[in-house]
Amino acid sequence: MNILITGCNGQLGSELRLQQSAHPTHHFINTDIGELDISNQEQVDGFVAEHQIDGIINCAAYTAVDKAEGDKERCTTLNTLAPAYLANAVEQCGGWLIQISTDYVFNGKAYTPYVESDTPSPDSVYGSTKLASELGVSKFCHRAMVVRTAWLYSCFGHNFVKTMLRLGKEKPQIGVVADQIGSPTYARDLASALLSIVEQGVQPGVFHYTNEGVASWYDFAKAVHRIYGIDGCEVLPLHTSEYPTAAHRPPYSVLDKTKIKQAYHLSIPHWEDSLRDCIKTIKEHE
């Protein structure tokens, strides 16, 4: 198959590129803004047709959650319109699309893990545009699959793990929110799961994928420092009210993964095990 990867220089896109050699029967076409502007419908239509694309994994997105509150137009273009263009274009080729979505489609007021059939209720511009992308890709491509994930980190790009490592080396004390609960997700694990899905056959519909286990951001930060070996920085727990942000964060955004595990027979690692793997890789490249 000819498989288009968008956003190939981001966290997830970079992890997908690393694993493509293990899937030699497929031809991967890795693109970022320099190769393909997914917000340009004419360009998308031409690119997909010219390269005879059989499937798309859309990793491109506007992910600056707080900035999005004051940049709704650009956020909507990248997170809502562009995925719809991709879905429409690949539908003309009879292909499939995997759209990456987010826990931010929920308001976080639940107290048990969200299942795919729970009614979304986003409380931010970012969440609203991502929910709209889910509806859009499903409308324009009958083989569209939505994979919601959360708290994504990687050896690549900017993310919470790398920020905690930097601050832990620079500062004697930091405060981290302790009343927001979710599941940290290693982008390498998600990339592996997505390629397994491609091999087994993309099923339309909404699925959830994060690493196993739950944590607060405070727990996550403490684990980052413990596993790396940082002991000169005190991590203090904060309430959300002590760390105001432009965008509302879901206080509880744990996603139930039963559906994707049963459909694709996936074995998902615990978040601490995957964090150890990520930090080991980071250390090897320092």
Side-chain angles (χ1 to χ4, degrees):
M1 285 190 291
N2 294 323
I3 301 173
L4 170 62
I5 308 293
T6 60
C8 74
N9 293 329
Q11 292 189 85
L12 182 56
S14 296
E15 297 288 3
L16 280 167
R17 281 191 291 140
L18 278 183
Q19 299 182 37
Q20 288 168 8
S21 60
H23 301 268
T25 58
H26 302 308
H27 174 53
F28 293 92
I29 303 167
N30 298 298
T31 67
D32 215 290
I33 184 65
E35 296 77 35
L36 174 63
D37 179 2
I38 62 171
S39 67
N40 183 318
Q41 185 172 14
E42 186 176 344
Q43 193 177 136
V44 168
D45 288 343
F47 191 98
V48 170
E50 178 187 348
H51 292 86
Q52 299 180 316
I53 299 299
D54 298 297
I56 300 173
I57 302 178
N58 182 29
C59 304
Y62 187 115
T63 57
V65 176
D66 291 318
K67 187 179 177 183
E69 292 297 309
D71 194 13
K72 185 175 182 179
E73 183 176 355
R74 180 64 177 159
C75 188
T76 300
T77 297
L78 287 176
N79 287 355
T80 303
L81 297 180
Y85 298 157
L86 292 167
N88 182 70
V90 80
E91 174 74 9
Q92 307 311 310
C93 301
W96 49 263
L97 177 140
I98 298 177
Q99 169 68 13
I100 307 302
S101 193
T102 174
D103 56 322
Y104 277 70
V105 301
F106 298 113
N107 60 24
K109 295 177 181 177
Y111 51 88
T112 56
Y114 285 99
V115 296
E116 289 81 357
S117 58
D118 284 334
T119 302
S121 181
D123 268 347
S124 65
V125 168
Y126 171 69
S128 297
T129 59
K130 294 297 280 187
L131 176 59
S133 80
E134 296 184 6
L135 302 174
V137 298
S138 300
K139 175 182 177 181
F140 290 107
C141 178
H142 79 281
R143 297 176 66 193
M145 178 186 207
V146 171
V147 179
R148 293 175 182 148
T149 191
W151 294 30
L152 204 63
Y153 68 91
S154 165
C155 310
F156 301 100
H158 301 287
N159 55 67
F160 182 82
V161 170
K162 294 171 82 171
T163 299
M164 290 302 104
L165 290 175
R166 176 177 56 80
L167 293 177
K169 296 172 184 178
E170 293 175 355
K171 297 182 178 294
Q173 186 182 86
I174 59 173
V176 181
V177 171
D179 56 356
Q180 294 173 20
I181 308 298
S183 299
T185 307
Y186 188 18
R188 190 159 298 180
D189 293 335
L190 176 55
S192 177
L194 292 174
L195 292 171
S196 178
I197 287 168
V198 169
E199 294 291 2
Q200 295 180 60
V202 173
Q203 299 179 26
V206 178
F207 294 81
H208 290 168
Y209 184 96
T210 63
N211 278 117
E212 296 284 15
V214 301
S216 68
W217 288 110
Y218 169 74
D219 297 326
F220 193 12
K222 292 282 285 186
V224 169
H225 284 192
R226 183 181 71 251
I227 292 169
Y228 187 91
I230 293 173
D231 55 13
C233 177
E234 183 182 15
V235 182
L236 301 175
L238 298 178
H239 288 291
T240 296
S241 60
E242 299 176 88
Y243 192 79
T245 56
H248 176 268
R249 265 73 172 167
Y252 182 89
S253 63
V254 179
L255 303 178
D256 186 289
K257 298 171 286 291
T258 303
K259 182 179 176 181
I260 202 167
K261 287 192 288 188
Q262 291 181 345
Y264 290 100
H265 313 289
L266 297 177
S267 178
I268 302 177
H270 188 274
W271 68 265
E272 279 206 48
D273 295 330
S274 292
L275 179 60
R276 287 190 188 93
D277 290 342
C278 181
I279 289 178
K280 179 182 177 183
T281 302
I282 289 173
K283 280 188 166 184
E284 288 171 350
H285 289 86
E286 286 180 338

